Amino acid sequence: MKISIKDVEYVALLSRLELTEAEKVEQLRELNKILDSMEVLNKVDTSGVEPLAHVLPIYNVLREDELRATLPKEKVLQNAPEEDEGMFKVPKIV
Amino acid sequence: MELSTIHGLRDLLANREISAEELTNQALEKIEKIDDKIKAFVTVTKDEAIQVAREIDQKRSKGESLGPLAGIPMALKDNMCTEDIKTTCSSKILYNFIPPYSAKVYEKLLGAGSILLGKTNMDEFAMGSSTENSGFFPTCNPWDLNCVPGGSSGGSAAAVASGEAVFALGSDTGGSIRQPASFCGVVGLKPTYGAVSRYGLIAYASSLDQIGPFTRDVTDCALVMNAITGHDSFDSTSALVDYPDYTRFLVNDIKDMRIGIPREYFGEGIEPEVEAKIREAINKLEELGAVVEECSLPHTQYALPAYYIIAPAECSSNLARYDGVRYGLRVEDADDIVSMFSRTRDQGFGIEVKRRIMLGTYALSSGYYDAYYLKALKVRNLVKQDFDKAFEKFDCLITPTAPSVAFEFGSKADTIAMYKQDVCTIPINLAGIPALSLPYGLVNNMPVGLQFVGKAFGEGNLLRVAYTLEQNSDQTRLEPSLEGVK
């Protein structure tokens, strides 16, 4: 086994996922299976190979800094689970 | 009943033998009649569709100019934003999301005059190969209701195969257009990365996602490509190139075309009956004048594990926005904000989505970044270099689209077995190149898909070879009997 239940809990915390105990056990089992299947990558010699994050030769796409239409406020807020005076309302932060 | 094509209906519409409203009503009636069994649609936009159809008919009667797809009813995968029309990604976390703007492809299709019938079901956030991961319900394969339609764009594929929609759009991150096209017996094309704007497409893995068409034949595929490709300043990865008129590649001639058969895509892992059909198609192309030769893409076996690092890594970042603050699900009675985020995300996301978020978060986390993510990006480069070398010699490559025909619900419960569904399609996304799946015959009464792979912006060669095969074979136009839904 490559990762432990503690790793699952840590990654779930980073991912902002509050998993049930049963979910943690299932994710541990499946993640280890997946990570095992990735071991094969260690067989590939990648010395001197550049990482390829993106396939198109596009760099620094710029546009003129011109004013253009934006979405009206009511459209932006139309999906808000809770809103107050034109703002998204959330539970207390501190 | 013969399923209609865009090019067939266009003439009927132009000659006033049928109106857009009549055509739209026929499609809506069909959906009403059979979609409780097929379950291709998450949302049907009946009133909006009829309204748009009437506007098209009015324009036509006034002699106003009409777009190239005027009056053609179509469907969109439910991960493309449609202003004022619910867009869910088949996820509980977006169960009530009404987009305040439209995806570029939807604007383009509306501009071309096509009519939206509704939004189609998918694996949640496009993560899956069967629609079994939909947060709502699975879609059934029109050829056999006990089988999956493939995924993640299974709803779009099933809607076109069953005759509910004339064409549909899907998105393809690792095979999500081509594999369901193969399973449902329709034409599916994943364009070159950057050829179709992703503006308004709900992101899964941004460096791999690409929108493309499902159609009933190759001519229709070219017609939809004409409507959806092009540069878009709202998508910073949109390619600034000259986009051709794709219909000029619909040529019934492949004499001296150089076709490569990569040996890594055959043999172990591919069902022998599927491989036999693919070999039969290759022989046919050789008879038609193509020069066929075996070749090798040596890093093929590493594409799948590299993809399952890169795609989850990108998704873990893209899906961070679903936190219950601005839209979608929010759990009630959370005491503080972190608990609200974490409980909303646990309740809103399905198990596979959570798995990929966690896998990606792990691969990007401190101490593991080099071993997983960076390694995968280097392997990605090697996979791309394999294709670059192959295209120095060949105009196109041919492989199976999927290792099997459509399977029964529940039969790929093992995570890795499901991931392997995309073994023939994933390398193409890593390289950013185009690939088209064409139906080619049946195995056990279920459709087989033939995959044509081209170099970047080489869609023309794919259309030409697929069109030629279509014109010279009776294996490419398949129609399900729909016995189980009548």
Tab-separated table of all heavy atoms in Angstrom, chain B residues 266-297:
chain	number	residue	atom	x	y	z
B	266	PHE	N	-3.315	-2.631	-31.402
B	266	PHE	CA	-3.950	-3.895	-31.777
B	266	PHE	C	-3.426	-4.995	-30.857
B	266	PHE	O	-2.434	-4.812	-30.167
B	266	PHE	CB	-3.637	-4.228	-33.243
B	266	PHE	CG	-4.274	-3.246	-34.201
B	266	PHE	CD1	-3.643	-2.039	-34.499
B	266	PHE	CD2	-5.507	-3.520	-34.769
B	266	PHE	CE1	-4.233	-1.124	-35.358
B	266	PHE	CE2	-6.098	-2.599	-35.630
B	266	PHE	CZ	-5.465	-1.408	-35.935
B	267	GLY	N	-4.131	-6.144	-30.855
B	267	GLY	CA	-3.671	-7.271	-30.049
B	267	GLY	C	-4.221	-7.224	-28.644
B	267	GLY	O	-5.417	-7.000	-28.453
B	268	GLU	N	-3.352	-7.417	-27.661
B	268	GLU	CA	-3.784	-7.561	-26.272
B	268	GLU	C	-4.679	-6.401	-25.821
B	268	GLU	O	-4.353	-5.236	-26.051
B	268	GLU	CB	-2.546	-7.629	-25.369
B	268	GLU	CG	-2.834	-8.254	-24.020
B	268	GLU	CD	-1.738	-7.937	-23.015
B	268	GLU	OE1	-0.566	-7.853	-23.402
B	268	GLU	OE2	-2.088	-7.773	-21.830
B	269	GLY	N	-5.791	-6.732	-25.191
B	269	GLY	CA	-6.690	-5.702	-24.666
B	269	GLY	C	-7.790	-5.314	-25.631
B	269	GLY	O	-8.761	-4.683	-25.244
B	270	ILE	N	-7.636	-5.657	-26.919
B	270	ILE	CA	-8.667	-5.337	-27.914
B	270	ILE	C	-9.436	-6.627	-28.221
B	270	ILE	O	-8.820	-7.655	-28.512
B	270	ILE	CB	-8.035	-4.800	-29.220
B	270	ILE	CG1	-7.071	-3.640	-28.944
B	270	ILE	CG2	-9.114	-4.412	-30.230
B	270	ILE	CD1	-7.683	-2.395	-28.370
B	271	GLU	N	-10.751	-6.563	-28.174
B	271	GLU	CA	-11.551	-7.755	-28.494
B	271	GLU	C	-11.256	-8.215	-29.913
B	271	GLU	O	-11.284	-7.403	-30.845
B	271	GLU	CB	-13.051	-7.432	-28.379
B	271	GLU	CG	-13.604	-7.652	-26.999
B	271	GLU	CD	-15.101	-7.375	-26.914
B	271	GLU	OE1	-15.782	-7.345	-27.963
B	271	GLU	OE2	-15.563	-7.180	-25.780
B	272	PRO	N	-10.979	-9.522	-30.090
B	272	PRO	CA	-10.592	-10.026	-31.425
B	272	PRO	C	-11.631	-9.713	-32.506
B	272	PRO	O	-11.266	-9.391	-33.635
B	272	PRO	CB	-10.460	-11.535	-31.212
B	272	PRO	CG	-10.267	-11.711	-29.748
B	272	PRO	CD	-10.939	-10.562	-29.060
B	273	GLU	N	-12.923	-9.766	-32.167
B	273	GLU	CA	-13.956	-9.492	-33.184
B	273	GLU	C	-13.927	-8.025	-33.608
B	273	GLU	O	-14.192	-7.702	-34.768
B	273	GLU	CB	-15.356	-9.817	-32.645
B	273	GLU	CG	-15.585	-11.276	-32.289
B	273	GLU	CD	-15.217	-11.595	-30.841
B	273	GLU	OE1	-14.461	-10.806	-30.209
B	273	GLU	OE2	-15.666	-12.634	-30.347
B	274	VAL	N	-13.617	-7.132	-32.659
B	274	VAL	CA	-13.500	-5.711	-32.990
B	274	VAL	C	-12.285	-5.509	-33.888
B	274	VAL	O	-12.365	-4.837	-34.927
B	274	VAL	CB	-13.381	-4.849	-31.702
B	274	VAL	CG1	-12.989	-3.417	-32.032
B	274	VAL	CG2	-14.689	-4.890	-30.911
B	275	GLU	N	-11.176	-6.118	-33.509
B	275	GLU	CA	-9.962	-5.990	-34.328
B	275	GLU	C	-10.207	-6.504	-35.748
B	275	GLU	O	-9.771	-5.882	-36.725
B	275	GLU	CB	-8.796	-6.756	-33.680
B	275	GLU	CG	-7.571	-6.754	-34.587
B	275	GLU	CD	-6.262	-7.084	-33.891
B	275	GLU	OE1	-6.209	-7.088	-32.650
B	275	GLU	OE2	-5.283	-7.315	-34.630
B	276	ALA	N	-10.969	-7.591	-35.860
B	276	ALA	CA	-11.246	-8.154	-37.192
B	276	ALA	C	-12.007	-7.148	-38.063
B	276	ALA	O	-11.724	-7.021	-39.264
B	276	ALA	CB	-12.040	-9.461	-37.056
B	277	LYS	N	-12.973	-6.450	-37.465
B	277	LYS	CA	-13.717	-5.440	-38.239
B	277	LYS	C	-12.792	-4.294	-38.683
B	277	LYS	O	-12.892	-3.791	-39.808
B	277	LYS	CB	-14.870	-4.842	-37.410
B	277	LYS	CG	-16.042	-5.750	-37.128
B	277	LYS	CD	-16.645	-6.387	-38.355
B	277	LYS	CE	-17.413	-5.431	-39.234
B	277	LYS	NZ	-18.061	-6.172	-40.362
B	278	ILE	N	-11.908	-3.874	-37.781
B	278	ILE	CA	-10.992	-2.779	-38.119
B	278	ILE	C	-10.079	-3.211	-39.271
B	278	ILE	O	-9.851	-2.452	-40.225
B	278	ILE	CB	-10.141	-2.376	-36.882
B	278	ILE	CG1	-11.043	-2.040	-35.680
B	278	ILE	CG2	-9.205	-1.217	-37.209
B	278	ILE	CD1	-12.019	-0.926	-35.867
B	279	ARG	N	-9.584	-4.455	-39.191
B	279	ARG	CA	-8.720	-4.975	-40.274
B	279	ARG	C	-9.484	-5.025	-41.598
B	279	ARG	O	-8.922	-4.752	-42.663
B	279	ARG	CB	-8.206	-6.383	-39.914
B	279	ARG	CG	-7.363	-6.435	-38.654
B	279	ARG	CD	-5.894	-6.175	-38.952
B	279	ARG	NE	-5.105	-6.243	-37.737
B	279	ARG	CZ	-3.919	-5.656	-37.591
B	279	ARG	NH1	-3.380	-4.965	-38.585
B	279	ARG	NH2	-3.254	-5.770	-36.462
B	280	GLU	N	-10.758	-5.392	-41.515
B	280	GLU	CA	-11.601	-5.454	-42.725
B	280	GLU	C	-11.698	-4.057	-43.359
B	280	GLU	O	-11.572	-3.906	-44.579
B	280	GLU	CB	-12.983	-5.965	-42.298
B	280	GLU	CG	-13.956	-6.209	-43.422
B	280	GLU	CD	-15.363	-6.510	-42.859
B	280	GLU	OE1	-15.479	-7.275	-41.868
B	280	GLU	OE2	-16.333	-5.947	-43.407
B	281	ALA	N	-11.889	-3.029	-42.518
B	281	ALA	CA	-11.990	-1.658	-43.038
B	281	ALA	C	-10.659	-1.229	-43.665
B	281	ALA	O	-10.637	-0.583	-44.723
B	281	ALA	CB	-12.376	-0.701	-41.909
B	282	ILE	N	-9.561	-1.604	-43.019
B	282	ILE	CA	-8.241	-1.226	-43.541
B	282	ILE	C	-8.023	-1.867	-44.916
B	282	ILE	O	-7.540	-1.212	-45.859
B	282	ILE	CB	-7.139	-1.641	-42.543
B	282	ILE	CG1	-7.248	-0.801	-41.251
B	282	ILE	CG2	-5.745	-1.483	-43.169
B	282	ILE	CD1	-6.446	-1.333	-40.085
B	283	ASN	N	-8.429	-3.141	-45.057
B	283	ASN	CA	-8.304	-3.814	-46.359
B	283	ASN	C	-9.120	-3.101	-47.431
B	283	ASN	O	-8.688	-2.942	-48.570
B	283	ASN	CB	-8.771	-5.276	-46.261
B	283	ASN	CG	-7.797	-6.114	-45.460
B	283	ASN	OD1	-6.624	-5.736	-45.304
B	283	ASN	ND2	-8.265	-7.235	-44.937
B	284	LYS	N	-10.294	-2.653	-47.025
B	284	LYS	CA	-11.164	-1.937	-47.955
B	284	LYS	C	-10.480	-0.641	-48.441
B	284	LYS	O	-10.511	-0.315	-49.625
B	284	LYS	CB	-12.488	-1.621	-47.243
B	284	LYS	CG	-13.518	-0.950	-48.102
B	284	LYS	CD	-14.255	-1.958	-48.951
B	284	LYS	CE	-15.069	-1.252	-50.029
B	284	LYS	NZ	-15.620	-2.184	-51.001
B	285	LEU	N	-9.860	0.078	-47.486
B	285	LEU	CA	-9.190	1.327	-47.853
B	285	LEU	C	-8.012	1.063	-48.791
B	285	LEU	O	-7.729	1.854	-49.696
B	285	LEU	CB	-8.712	2.056	-46.587
B	285	LEU	CG	-9.850	2.635	-45.726
B	285	LEU	CD1	-9.347	3.033	-44.347
B	285	LEU	CD2	-10.495	3.836	-46.425
B	286	GLU	N	-7.346	-0.053	-48.576
B	286	GLU	CA	-6.231	-0.429	-49.447
B	286	GLU	C	-6.753	-0.712	-50.868
B	286	GLU	O	-6.178	-0.248	-51.848
B	286	GLU	CB	-5.516	-1.659	-48.867
B	286	GLU	CG	-4.040	-1.691	-49.192
B	286	GLU	CD	-3.282	-2.687	-48.326
B	286	GLU	OE1	-3.908	-3.413	-47.518
B	286	GLU	OE2	-2.039	-2.726	-48.467
B	287	GLU	N	-7.870	-1.428	-50.929
B	287	GLU	CA	-8.519	-1.689	-52.229
B	287	GLU	C	-8.864	-0.383	-52.945
B	287	GLU	O	-8.831	-0.303	-54.170
B	287	GLU	CB	-9.865	-2.412	-52.006
B	287	GLU	CG	-9.813	-3.908	-52.006
B	287	GLU	CD	-11.179	-4.468	-51.592
B	287	GLU	OE1	-12.215	-3.935	-52.053
B	287	GLU	OE2	-11.203	-5.414	-50.784
B	288	LEU	N	-9.216	0.631	-52.133
B	288	LEU	CA	-9.637	1.914	-52.722
B	288	LEU	C	-8.444	2.792	-53.105
B	288	LEU	O	-8.621	3.942	-53.507
B	288	LEU	CB	-10.549	2.665	-51.743
B	288	LEU	CG	-11.924	2.029	-51.508
B	288	LEU	CD1	-12.613	2.631	-50.290
B	288	LEU	CD2	-12.802	2.174	-52.752
B	289	GLY	N	-7.243	2.270	-52.915
B	289	GLY	CA	-6.077	2.992	-53.427
B	289	GLY	C	-5.148	3.583	-52.386
B	289	GLY	O	-4.132	4.200	-52.724
B	290	ALA	N	-5.479	3.430	-51.083
B	290	ALA	CA	-4.596	3.965	-50.046
B	290	ALA	C	-3.346	3.097	-49.920
B	290	ALA	O	-3.378	1.905	-50.212
B	290	ALA	CB	-5.330	4.004	-48.715
B	291	VAL	N	-2.259	3.725	-49.503
B	291	VAL	CA	-1.014	2.985	-49.260
B	291	VAL	C	-0.921	2.742	-47.751
B	291	VAL	O	-0.756	3.675	-46.974
B	291	VAL	CB	0.206	3.782	-49.751
B	291	VAL	CG1	1.484	2.992	-49.525
B	291	VAL	CG2	0.032	4.175	-51.207
B	292	VAL	N	-1.084	1.489	-47.368
B	292	VAL	CA	-1.189	1.159	-45.947
B	292	VAL	C	0.106	0.500	-45.468
B	292	VAL	O	0.664	-0.356	-46.139
B	292	VAL	CB	-2.391	0.207	-45.713
B	292	VAL	CG1	-2.462	-0.221	-44.250
B	292	VAL	CG2	-3.695	0.877	-46.144
B	293	GLU	N	0.549	0.939	-44.287
B	293	GLU	CA	1.791	0.378	-43.748
B	293	GLU	C	1.719	0.350	-42.217
B	293	GLU	O	1.210	1.288	-41.605
B	293	GLU	CB	2.954	1.280	-44.186
B	293	GLU	CG	4.313	0.629	-44.089
B	293	GLU	CD	5.413	1.641	-44.430
B	293	GLU	OE1	5.281	2.355	-45.458
B	293	GLU	OE2	6.372	1.724	-43.651
B	294	GLU	N	2.251	-0.706	-41.621
B	294	GLU	CA	2.283	-0.771	-40.166
B	294	GLU	C	3.317	0.222	-39.634
B	294	GLU	O	4.310	0.521	-40.311
B	294	GLU	CB	2.629	-2.193	-39.711
B	294	GLU	CG	2.362	-2.401	-38.229
B	294	GLU	CD	2.604	-3.842	-37.787
B	294	GLU	OE1	1.678	-4.666	-37.912
B	294	GLU	OE2	3.708	-4.110	-37.289
B	295	CYS	N	3.083	0.755	-38.431
B	295	CYS	CA	4.054	1.655	-37.827
B	295	CYS	C	4.033	1.469	-36.311
B	295	CYS	O	3.276	0.652	-35.793
B	295	CYS	CB	3.758	3.106	-38.207
B	295	CYS	SG	2.202	3.737	-37.563
B	296	SER	N	4.848	2.243	-35.614
B	296	SER	CA	4.915	2.098	-34.168
B	296	SER	C	4.853	3.449	-33.470
B	296	SER	O	5.460	4.423	-33.907
B	296	SER	CB	6.218	1.385	-33.788
B	296	SER	OG	6.369	1.381	-32.379
B	297	LEU	N	4.087	3.502	-32.390
B	297	LEU	CA	4.050	4.674	-31.495
B	297	LEU	C	4.499	4.125	-30.133
B	297	LEU	O	3.672	3.725	-29.304
B	297	LEU	CB	2.639	5.264	-31.416
B	297	LEU	CG	2.020	5.745	-32.736
B	297	LEU	CD1	0.523	6.017	-32.570
B	297	LEU	CD2	2.710	7.014	-33.227
